[in-house]
């Protein structure tokens, strides 16, 4: 089949059901709600063939300097025919002069490398059915966030990632719950908990130290309502052995990649330990 006969159209709510079917075919756990979570923040493309969604790619811009590319999927029957490249070229063009970031699967890396992306670090995916949530144990300084914490949360996230993700932190508060770690009058970390796939997802988690990250994760894990929990963390965070010891084995991995980056992320008082799901890169 000539993939040139496939139309690329702007992704909107009418494409959600087709996108869910694609992600299920690919073995992803995303529900319709997980796809819809990123719609207010993103723009993207749906590849259409005979009224069916046969490919997707989404772009989430963060200001004028950076964007993440996510939800890049091609129907199994059409892989290897250039449709993935067409979709990627479309979102890269939509990004303009922005640096682009993504988390690649091993299968996707060769394509991304030909498009100018370079690996920066590995991402470890941890997930397990943990059974019933434990009785919540107090964690020193960790409490649920209030609306008044929103500016400090956005500032902490910006210091960690080097980009302004205020819209994302607001969206996470809408669809899930945010916890914060206080040290006196200062906000030293935050983390998010939301429904995802067959259970719940913890991430992002931003803190200055591993101990702070562990306290946030323990607090959020105890607050889950179901049994299945997922956490994605950079391999460089050093949290993977601890997560495995908490009953969350590593079940997959990815590679964080960048295109158009002119410098490393600025050093700041906080570093990312657990990242958001692949829905937003």
């Amino acid at each position: 089949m000539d993939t040139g006969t496939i139309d690329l159209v702007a992704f909107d709510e009418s494409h959600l059901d087709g996108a869910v079917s694609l992600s299920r075919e690919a073995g992803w756990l995303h529900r319709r709600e997980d796809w819809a979570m990123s719609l207010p923040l993103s723009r993207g493309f749906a590849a259409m063939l005979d009224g069916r969604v046969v490919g997707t790619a989404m772009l989430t811009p963060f200001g004028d300097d950076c964007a993440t590319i996510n939800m890049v999927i091609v129907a199994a029957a059409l892989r290897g025919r250039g449709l993935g490249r067409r979709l990627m070229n479309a979102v890269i063009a939509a990004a303009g002069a922005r640096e682009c970031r993504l988390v690649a699967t091993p299968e996707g890396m060769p394509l991304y490398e030909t498009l100018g992306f370079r690996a920066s670090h590995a991402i470890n995916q941890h997930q397990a059915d943990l059974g019933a949530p434990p009785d919540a144990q107090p964690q020193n300084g960790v409490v649920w966030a209030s609306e008044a914490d929103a500016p400090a949360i956005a500032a902490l996230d910006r210091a960690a990632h080097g980009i302004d993700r205020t819209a994302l932190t607001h969206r996470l508060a809408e669809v899930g719950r945010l916890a914060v770690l206080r040290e006196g009058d200062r906000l030293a970390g935050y983390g998010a908990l939301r429904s995802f796939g067959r259970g719940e997802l913890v991430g992002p988690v931003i803190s200055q130290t591993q101990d702070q990250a562990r306290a946030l994760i323990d607090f959020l894990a105890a607050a889950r309502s179901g049994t299945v929990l997922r956490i994605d963390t950079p391999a460089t965070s050093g949290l993977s052995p601890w997560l495995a010891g908490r009953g969350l084995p590593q079940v997959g991995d990815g590679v964080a990649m960048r295109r158009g980056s002119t410098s490393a992320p600025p050093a700041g008082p906080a570093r990312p330990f657990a990242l958001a799901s692949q829905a937003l890169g």
Side-chain angles (χ1 to χ4, degrees), residues 62-192:
F62 296 109
D64 296 329
D65 299 322
C66 186
T68 59
I69 294 174
N70 42 83
M71 308 307 277
V72 181
I73 312 178
V74 172
L78 296 173
R79 291 173 192 164
R81 303 187 186 185
L83 182 54
R85 184 177 294 274
R86 278 186 66 195
L87 285 161
M88 283 296 298
N89 282 333
V91 290
I92 288 171
R98 293 179 180 90
E99 173 194 340
C100 291
R101 303 180 186 180
L102 56 77
V103 177
T105 62
E107 296 79 13
M109 277 192 69
L111 169 61
Y112 302 142
E113 287 174 340
T114 67
L115 294 171
F117 286 86
R118 296 294 177 262
S120 60
H121 57 275
I123 301 292
N124 297 339
Q125 181 188 126
H126 293 259
Q127 183 170 294
D129 186 331
L130 298 176
D135 293 333
Q137 297 295 318
Q139 298 295 326
N140 188 30
V142 182
V143 296
W144 290 115
S146 69
E147 290 186 13
D149 293 316
I153 289 171
L156 191 63
D157 190 273
R158 185 165 53 250
H161 290 281
I163 56 178
D164 186 354
R165 303 199 311 171
T166 301
L168 172 60
T169 57
H170 286 173
R171 182 65 173 154
L172 289 169
E174 291 175 351
V175 301
R177 302 185 74 182
L178 301 184
V180 293
L181 174 65
R182 302 190 192 282
E183 291 186 347
D185 294 333
R186 185 175 68 91
L187 195 69
Y190 90 92

Side-chain angles (χ1 to χ4, degrees), residues 8-80:
L8 298 190
V9 301
F11 192 104
D12 61 32
E13 191 171 353
S14 68
H15 302 117
L16 285 175
D17 289 337
V20 171
S21 295
L22 273 185
S23 56
R24 286 176 179 167
E25 179 188 60
W28 295 8
L29 299 177
H30 293 67
R31 308 163 301 152
R32 194 178 195 276
E33 295 88 342
D34 300 320
W35 277 88
M37 182 240 174
S38 67
L39 274 185
L41 308 175
S42 306
R43 64 189 75 159
F45 297 90
M48 304 297 297
L49 176 64
D50 298 331
R52 294 182 299 114
V53 179
V54 294
T56 61
M58 304 295 288
L59 178 82
T60 307
F62 296 109
D64 296 329
D65 299 322
C66 186
T68 59
I69 294 174
N70 42 83
M71 308 307 277
V72 181
I73 312 178
V74 172
L78 296 173
R79 291 173 192 164

